Each structure stands twice: as structure tokens, then as C-alpha cells.
């Protein structure tokens, strides 16, 4: 068994009186892919945002390669090698694709220090084109993001995350707006990332996409992982009924 | 060093007569210099073309129409001296508008520029007349007052999360109030010779026009920021924060710190505008520049900047300024009552916003 890259122990989070996460524990091995499913509002995005440093957690522990970590901002998480693709993509619409991909860590030319170094547009566009191509997109890098289609935007967000060369990649609905063809592209990409040793947590409502790439599936209900199983050796139908039953039970429980 | 001349490797050599054949280092230096200059020139030209296409033909057309109309309304309009007076009219509001453009693109808003200009001009005049600090002291005072108010605006809107409209409406009143208090509402005449000289211009015997220093300051400010914005993080983050503040922050941009920078620069430019204004008048008073913010914001919005942030161009603002200055000048020399100036400015502001709204809704319907 590979080493554990990311481990969560009893993560809790409330927004005021609303208890969103009531003790989530899970672990992702190196080069592993953990698929997280759950109903709308189950707390999936909240969990990922705690991991990417956007929200502080109320309780619990996050360990990366066995070491406990504490994030106060998205930059902290990035320093630990965590990169996240947000559900709303978090792109600046008025900027072009290349500027979005390199936002926050621009390349410069000239001297090493501020007044005599300036943005290296040429290099950023060239590298942006390269990373976009690696996700199967031939998008022109000087297109303004606000005019892009939902799928194109999603690819820009994926490309942006990859450009940071993360060790742990969190993806909140990375395929929601993509066509079947592009989904396959992203699926292939995820496999390639696994080969490169990247660990991932994937949130998706498209269960069929998820089981193509995930090694482990966790079901989040009422702020807790209520079921967890390995994908290998189970049929799609088996897994689907298992999840549907769990979510159904949860609803029934909530009604009581 | 090496990546400076790298992009021009494939470009045709502009001047290859006798500069490279000798192995003299002067020749090589000259060739390198030529290559670099032509390279920078070409890239700047490409960027300028893109800027012009971003600004769109609308403003240029409106400007041309305006000029033709006033050409027929007044015989005096199309004279060199009138163009000079239009240019001088733009200076104070123009320098402020450069800063306002930056803040508005970054998703902010600054109503305090007029007050800051008045306070800075008065402060500079006070230091010049009452201390031995001389011209450097006066300039430093004006810029420091502007910077200070700008930083306060930036801190309150950024760290304090207060709407910039409210924040700067507050500082608009506070700053002018303080200026009145400090000077007891007195006008301060400046006798410093350099100060006076800077308010004038220079000419030659065979010229039939004057080059005013303040017009040069205005052009200088636009050139400096026109240079900075596409080349530095400053410009990149200004658009990013205005476009999607949360995304910028998630990308690791220190949004609040940059707001300090943007508002600080805007304040400093407003302070500089106040200083230049008092050069021109050779006097300063806390009651000056009232209502300038109306003209400034009108010019910026006319220039195509979006109140939602993320969009705008310095060139657009410059054209907006020109439009407004010509409009106000044209009304005066066509003999229209001066009260109409404010009505015209206000109408231009509302029409500009309406036009922006219409353009946006038309585009998004496609
Ligand atoms: N910043 C916040 N403040 C208050 N409540 C919040 C906040 N963020 C999320 N919530 C609430 O927490 C709950 C979980 O939200 P979350 O976005 O994590 O759900 P999700 O599982 O990602 O749902 P979906 O599948 O629809 O994306 C929801 O009830 C939501 O309203
Ligand atoms: Mg979600």
C-alpha cells in the first residue's frame, strides 16, 4: 500500500447554528483518487474549502504526508502542494485565459526585482497554450474568459490548477459543464496525473464519471462519511444502488 | 539581459549599413540598441492598436462630431489659442481622472479627489509660504496629503469592508473640513518664483503657441501609467480584483494590500492635481476644486470604464476628458450661459452610464 498523502481526522465545521460537517475522516493514498458523493448541501464543497485554506475548521486534524498542517489562507494550502478547482471556477472574467492561468504567480523578464522586471506576456501565453493543450483544449490564450463557454472555462480552471504542479488536487465538479468528449479528456488527464503521483479528491454528481477514475468512493450524508468502498471488483449497478439506498435512508431519517 | 533581445531574433535588422561589419564594440552596442528600440517600438505599437480597438470607435466618432459642431457654432473655436485653453482646462481633472480610472477598474470608487486636490494645493502653498522647506517641501506636502487620504480610503474599503462610495463620501467632507480649519478659510498666495514659473509655459520667438508645463504634467501622468499598467502586476491585479475579487484573493493576490496601493495612487494623483492647479493659479484655497469629482467620474465613465469594475482604459478616459473639455469650452465660446456647464456635465454622466448599460445588455443578449 502506498503512503498516505492526505488524511482527515474528525473534521467539524458549523456556520453559526448550521452544523455542516460533524466529523469527517478519510484518507487518500499517494497517487490515489478519492471520489466524494453526497446530496446537494451535504457539505462537499465546504470540506474541500477547508482543505484549500478558504475556511478554518472548527475541530479535527489535517495531515499531509503524516504531518499535521494548519492553513490560514489559500496561499498556505498552495505552499503545501494543495491546489483546488472551485465549483464556480473562481476565474476573473475580464482577464484573458493566460492571465487567469498565471494569476497570482506571473512570470517576469528583466531583472530579478520589482522596478526592473516586467510581465513576460510571451512566455505566459506560450506556457498557457501548452498546459491547455495537455487538457485537450486548443483555446486561444488571449480570449477573454467572460466570453468562453462553460466547458471552456472549466478547462481554463483545470489548466490553471495543473500549472501549479500540485501534489494534491481537489476538484469540485470538474466535469459538470463538459461534453462527453471533454469529460473523457479530463478522465484521461486524471489517470495521467495519478501516474505522476498526484493525489486527488473529486466531487461529482456524475457518478458514472467518478467511478471511471476514483479508487475509493465515500458517501457524505449529514456531514459524515456514512459509507466508503473500493471501486475495483464492484459493478456500476451494485455501487449505484448502494449509494442511492444510503441517500434515501438519510432522507427518510431526516423526515422522522 | 539575454531575454531582452531574444524576441527580436527573427525580426529584420532595421539598420544594417555599417554598424555591424566592424567588430568594434560601439558598432555592436549601436546595433543592439537599435534592435531593442525597434523591438520595444513594435510591441508598444501592437499594444496601442489593441488598446484602440478595445476603446472602440464610438468615442472617436463622438469627438469628431463634437468638434465639427462647435467649429460651425463659433469661429473662435478652431484656433490654436483655444485648443491651448482646452488643454489647460483638462489638466487638473485629467490628472485626477487617471487615478480615478485605476480605482474604478479595480472595482472601487473615489469621490474624495476634489477635496484632496484642494487640501493638497493649500497644504503645499502653506508650506511654501510659512516654512523654509521650499519647493521640495511643497511638492512633498501635496503628495503626502494625497497619499495619506488615499491610504485611509483604501484601508477603510479594503480591511474595513465599507462600501467605497460611503467611505470616500466621508473623506470628501472630512478632508475639506480639515483644510478649512487649518487655513481658517484663507486663500494663500504663493510668491515662490519656481512655483510661479511652473504655472506658466515656454515658447520661442518663431512659435505662435506656448507649451504649458501643466499640460506636460498631464500628458506625463498618462504616459507613465500607460507604461506601467500593461507591464507590471499593478495593472494585472487592478483588472483582476475589479473583475472578480474573490478569484483574485483565492489566487493568492493580497487584495486588501493592493487596494491600499490603488487608492493610495489615486489619492497621490489627486494631490498632484491640486498642486498643479495651484501652480496655474499661483494661489490656493480650501474652497477650490469643489465638484471636480463630477467631471472626473464623468470622464472616466465616458471613457468606457465599468462601474462594476474590471473594465476601462486610460486612453478611453483621456478621450472622455477631451470630450468633456471641448463640450464645456464650446458652450462657453458659443455664448451659452455658464450655468449650463454643470447641466451638460451631469447629463453627459447619465448618458454615458445609460450607453454603457445599453451596450452591455445588447452584448449579453447575443
Ligand atoms: N459561507 C457559508 N455560510 C453559511 N452557510 C454556508 C456557507 N457555505 C456553505 N453553507 C451551507 O453549508 C451547507 C453545505 O454547503 P456545501 O456548499 O458544502 O454543499 P455541497 O455538498 O457542496 O452541495 P452542492 O452539491 O450543491 O454543491 C449548505 O446548507 C450551505 O447553505
Ligand atoms: Mg458544492
Amino acid at each position: 500500500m502506498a503512503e498516505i498523502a492526505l488524511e482527515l481526522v474528525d473534521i467539524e465545521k458549523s456556520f453559526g447554528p448550521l452544523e455542516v460537517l460533524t466529523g469527517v475522516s478519510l484518507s487518500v493514498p499517494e497517487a490515489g483518487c478519492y471520489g466524494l458523493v453526497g446530496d446537494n448541501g451535504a457539505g462537499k464543497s465546504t470540506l474541500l474549502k477547508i482543505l484549500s485554506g478558504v475556511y478554518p475548521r472548527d475541530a479535527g486534524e489535517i495531515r499531509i504526508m503524516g504531518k499535521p498542517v494548519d492553513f490560514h489562507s489559500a496561499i498556505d494550502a498552495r505552499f503545501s502542494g494543495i491546489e483546488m478547482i472551485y465549483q464556480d471556477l473562481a476565474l476573473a472574467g475580464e482577464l484573458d485565459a493566460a492571465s487567469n492561468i498565471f494569476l497570482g504567480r506571473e512570470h517576469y523578464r528583466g531583472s530579478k526585482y520589482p522596478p526592473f522586471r516586467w510581465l513576460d506576456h510571451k512566455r505566459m501565453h506560450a506556457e498557457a497554450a501548452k498546459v491547455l493543450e495537455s487538457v485537450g483544449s486548443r483555446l486561444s490564450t488571449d480570449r477573454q474568459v467572460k466570453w468562453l463557454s462553460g466547458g471552456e472555462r472549466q478547462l481554463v480552471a483545470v489548466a490553471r490548477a495543473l500549472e501549479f504542479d500540485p501534489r494534491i488536487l481537489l476538484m469540485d465538479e470538474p466535469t459538470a459543464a463538459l461534453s462527453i468528449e471533454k469529460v473523457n479528456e479530463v478522465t484521461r488527464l486524471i489517470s495521467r496525473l495519478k501516474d505522476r503521483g498526484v493525489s486527488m479528491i473529486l466531487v461529482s454528481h456524475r457518478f458514472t464519471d467518478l467511478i471511471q477514475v476514483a479508487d475509493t468512493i465515500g458517501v457524505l450524508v449529514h456531514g459524515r462519511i456514512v459509507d466508503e468502498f473500493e471501486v475495483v471488483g464492484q459493478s456500476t449497478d451494485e455501487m449505484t444502488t448502494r449509494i442511492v439506498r444510503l441517500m434515501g435512508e438519510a432522507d427518510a431519517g431526516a423526515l422522522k | 539581459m539575454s531575454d531582452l533581445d531574444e524576441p527580436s531574433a527573427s525580426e529584420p535588422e532595421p539598420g544594417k549599413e555599417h554598424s555591424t561589419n566592424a567588430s568594434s564594440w560601439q558598432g555592436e552596442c549601436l546595433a543592439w540598441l537599435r534592435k531593442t528600440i525597434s523591438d520595444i517600438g513594435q510591441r508598444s505599437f501592437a499594444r496601442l492598436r489593441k488598446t484602440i480597438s478595445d476603446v472602440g470607435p464610438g468615442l472617436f466618432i463622438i469627438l469628431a462630431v463634437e468638434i465639427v459642431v462647435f467649429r460651425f457654432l463659433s469661429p473662435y473655436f478652431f484656433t490654436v489659442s483655444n485648443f491651448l485653453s482646452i488643454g489647460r482646462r483638462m489638466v487638473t481633472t485629467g490628472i485626477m481622472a487617471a487615478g480615478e480610472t485605476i480605482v474604478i477598474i479595480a472595482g472601487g470608487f473615489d469621490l474624495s479627489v476634489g477635496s484632496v486636490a484642494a487640501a493638497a494645493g493649500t497644504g503645499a502653498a502653506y508650506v511654501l509660504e510659512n516654512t523654509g522647506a521650499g519647493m521640495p517641501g511643497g511638492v512633498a506636502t501635496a503628495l503626502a496629503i494625497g497619499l495619506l487620504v488615499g491610504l485611509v480610503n483604501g484601508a477603510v474599503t479594503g480591511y474595513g469592508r465599507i462600501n467605497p462610495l460611503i467611505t470616500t463620501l466621508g473623506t470628501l467632507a472630512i478632508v475639506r473640513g480639515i483644510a478649512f480649519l487649518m487655513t481658517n478659510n484663507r486663500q494663500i498666495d504663493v510668491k515662490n518664483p519656481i512655483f510661479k514659473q511652473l504655472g506658466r509655459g515656454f515658447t520661442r520667438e518663431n512659435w505662435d503657441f506656448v507649451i504649458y508645463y501643466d499640460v506636460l504634467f498631464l500628458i506625463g501622468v498618462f504616459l507613465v501609467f500607460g507604461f506601467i499598467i500593461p507591464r507590471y502586476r499593478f495593472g494585472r491585479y487592478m483588472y483582476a480584483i475589479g473583475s472578480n475579487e474573490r478569484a483574485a484573493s483565492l489566487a493568492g493576490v493580497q487584495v486588501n494590500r493592493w487596494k491600499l496601493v490603488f487608492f493610495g495612487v489615486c489619492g497621490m494623483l489627486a494631490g498632484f492635481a491640486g498642486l498643479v492647479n495651484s501652480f496655474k493659479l499661483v494661489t490656493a484655497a480650501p474652497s477650490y476644486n469643489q465638484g471636480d469629482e463630477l467631471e472626473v467620474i464623468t470622464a472616466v465613465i465616458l471613457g468606457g470604464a465599468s462601474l462594476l469594475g474590471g473594465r476601462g482604459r486610460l486612453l478611453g478616459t483621456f478621450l472622455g476628458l477631451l470630450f468633456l473639455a471641448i463640450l464645456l469650452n464650446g458652450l462657453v465660446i458659443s455664448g451659452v450661459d455658464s450655468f449650463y456647464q454643470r447641466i451638460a456635465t451631469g447629463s453627459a454622466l447619465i448618458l454615458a452610464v445609460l450607453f454603457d448599460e445599453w451596450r452591455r445588455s445588447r452584448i449579453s443578449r447575443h
Side-chain angles (χ1 to χ4, degrees):
Chain A
M1 190 68 201
E3 214 173 326
I4 299 298
L6 174 70
E7 191 175 11
L8 307 184
V9 186
D10 289 327
I11 300 288
E12 289 176 24
K13 177 74 187 171
S14 319
F15 292 109
L18 181 70
E19 291 182 356
V20 179
L21 302 175
T22 54
V24 176
S25 301
L26 62 84
S27 63
V28 189
E30 228 175 350
C33 182
Y34 192 101
L36 194 62
V37 294
D39 210 351
N40 290 112
K44 306 180 295 293
S45 297
T46 306
L47 183 68
L48 293 197
K49 282 179 183 168
I50 287 172
L51 282 176
S52 76
V54 175
Y55 295 147
R57 61 186 188 275
D58 295 344
E61 196 168 82
I62 303 174
R63 297 192 198 123
I64 292 179
M65 303 307 284
K67 274 196 229 96
V69 288
D70 241 327
F71 303 140
H72 300 288
S73 71
I75 308 166
D76 287 354
R78 181 162 299 149
F79 270 121
S80 305
I82 296 183
E83 193 56 41
M84 168 143 172
I85 299 166
Y86 293 89
Q87 194 164 8
D88 69 354
L89 305 180
L91 298 171
E94 300 286 340
L95 297 187
D96 63 26
S99 308
N100 266 290
I101 288 172
F102 284 98
L103 186 61
R105 33 159 261 170
E106 290 74 11
H107 286 308
Y108 297 95
R109 43 193 222 96
S111 112
K112 220 167 153 189
Y113 297 103
F116 299 109
R117 59 170 202 188
W118 28 84
L119 297 172
D120 192 345
H121 296 284
K122 208 170 175 166
R123 176 167 168 208
M124 287 191 276
H125 278 279
E127 287 187 15
K130 227 187 294 167
V131 68
L132 276 170
E133 209 180 301
S134 80
V135 296
S137 165
R138 290 231 191 79
L139 193 71
S140 154
T141 54
D142 49 20
R143 295 267 308 274
Q144 257 188 329
V145 162
K146 68 172 169 181
W147 303 126
L148 299 183
S149 75
E152 287 171 326
R153 258 180 245 195
Q154 214 147 34
L155 290 175
V156 171
V158 174
R160 174 179 159 71
L162 293 186
E163 186 57 41
F164 284 92
D165 203 11
R167 274 193 300 160
I168 296 166
L169 185 59
L170 313 172
M171 297 194 247
D172 202 348
E173 302 283 358
T175 56
L178 297 184
S179 67
I180 302 287
E181 200 185 319
K182 291 292 176 210
V183 168
N184 291 337
E185 204 82 56
V186 171
T187 313
R188 271 200 295 278
L189 175 81
I190 289 170
S191 313
R192 258 184 288 147
L193 287 175
K194 271 203 252 179
D195 293 341
R196 264 162 54 180
V198 179
S199 315
M200 282 167 276
I201 298 183
L202 227 71
V203 167
S204 179
H205 282 113
R206 293 203 190 184
F207 184 60
T208 46
D209 296 348
L210 210 54
I211 54 176
Q212 277 184 45
V213 287
D215 311 312
T216 313
I217 301 281
V219 187
L220 188 66
V221 174
H222 292 327
R224 209 181 270 279
I225 305 271
V226 293
D227 191 15
E228 199 175 82
F229 53 85
E230 300 297 314
V231 172
V232 279
Q234 295 203 58
S235 76
T236 311
D237 288 345
E238 242 178 317
M239 289 187 282
T240 313
T241 43
R242 193 165 168 179
I243 288 170
V244 169
R245 189 171 46 80
L246 276 171
M247 300 223 260
E249 269 173 17
D251 278 344
L255 284 174
K256 265 184 226 159
Chain B
M1 184 71 181
S2 63
D3 50 341
L4 255 179
D5 44 14
E6 162 261 318
S8 57
S10 60
E11 276 163 23
E13 188 70 43
K16 52 179 181 205
E17 316 90 52
H18 45 70
S19 55
T20 43
N21 54 7
S23 62
S24 72
W25 62 272
Q26 290 125 320
E28 269 177 43
C29 270
L30 207 68
W32 178 83
L33 205 69
R34 275 195 198 160
K35 215 162 68 175
T36 308
I37 289 174
S38 92
D39 180 36
I40 290 176
Q42 278 182 13
R43 256 185 282 148
S44 305
F45 183 68
R47 201 169 276 144
L48 186 66
R49 255 200 341 222
K50 186 171 181 315
T51 306
I52 289 173
S53 81
D54 273 6
V55 169
L59 259 174
F60 289 99
I61 295 169
I62 293 172
L63 214 67
V65 169
E66 185 187 37
I67 289 171
V68 170
V69 167
F70 283 124
R71 166 85 183 76
F72 284 103
L73 283 181
S74 164
Y76 180 66
F77 178 75
F78 226 75
T79 58
V80 173
S81 66
N82 191 47
F83 283 135
L84 285 176
S85 86
I86 290 173
R88 292 201 90 188
R89 213 196 164 293
M90 288 167 60
V91 170
T92 314
T93 48
I95 295 173
M96 292 186 226
E100 188 78 54
T101 308
I102 290 165
V103 165
I104 286 183
I105 292 175
F109 203 75
D110 192 348
L111 282 171
S112 69
V113 286
S115 296
V116 170
T122 322
Y126 183 87
V127 168
L128 272 166
E129 288 309 294
N130 297 298
T131 71
M135 208 44 205
V139 174
T141 307
L143 297 184
I145 290 174
L147 179 64
L148 183 73
V149 180
L151 290 179
V152 169
N153 287 336
V156 174
T157 48
Y159 295 101
R161 294 172 190 282
I162 308 292
N163 183 313
L165 209 73
I166 303 301
T167 309
T168 58
L169 188 61
T171 45
L172 169 147
I174 295 169
V175 170
R176 199 177 288 280
I178 293 176
F180 274 120
L181 264 179
M182 304 282 272
T183 57
N184 241 329
N185 192 15
R186 263 198 336 263
Q187 181 174 316
I188 303 175
D189 298 326
V190 182
K191 294 169 204 74
N192 182 306
I194 309 172
F195 196 93
K196 283 183 166 173
Q197 182 54 38
L198 283 173
R200 302 202 198 102
F202 63 93
T203 186
R204 292 270 165 77
E205 269 171 42
N206 50 346
W207 290 1
D208 60 346
F209 58 91
V210 184
I211 293 183
Y212 290 104
Y213 292 113
D214 53 3
V215 176
L216 293 184
F217 287 136
L218 171 70
I219 294 171
V221 163
F222 273 82
L223 286 181
V224 165
F225 284 95
F227 182 86
I228 288 176
I229 287 170
R231 286 174 181 79
Y232 292 90
R233 275 189 304 184
F234 177 89
R236 176 67 54 93
Y237 291 173
M238 168 179 97
Y239 283 103
I241 292 171
S243 172
N244 188 343
E245 189 176 322
R246 200 181 67 86
S249 155
L250 288 175
V253 176
Q254 304 275 354
V255 170
N256 288 341
R257 222 178 282 171
W258 281 99
K259 281 188 179 172
L260 283 183
V261 173
F262 300 134
F263 276 96
V265 165
C266 181
M268 206 143 86
L269 283 173
F272 185 57
L275 184 71
V276 172
N277 192 48
S278 54
F279 289 160
K280 191 167 67 178
L281 304 173
V282 211
T283 173
S287 59
Y288 286 178
N289 303 99
Q290 300 216 35
D292 273 7
E293 56 279 348
L294 171 67
E295 233 174 272
V296 168
I297 289 163
T298 305
V300 175
I301 301 300
L302 272 172
S306 162
L307 283 175
L308 301 175
R311 214 179 62 222
R313 289 279 183 181
L314 275 180
L315 179 68
T317 296
F318 195 83
L319 295 176
L321 278 167
L322 204 58
F323 172 84
L324 212 56
I326 291 176
L327 178 69
L328 300 182
N329 167 276
L331 290 179
V332 171
I333 64 170
S334 312
V336 178
D337 194 300
S338 69
F339 292 127
Y340 282 102
Q341 292 192 22
R342 289 215 136 187
I343 298 177
T345 312
S347 311
L349 174 63
I350 291 175
L351 286 175
V353 176
L354 276 177
F355 177 69
D356 183 44
E357 202 56 47
W358 171 77
R359 188 171 45 187
R360 198 174 17 239
S361 69
R362 201 186 52 140
I363 288 170
S364 59
R365 225 179 289 138
H366 278 304

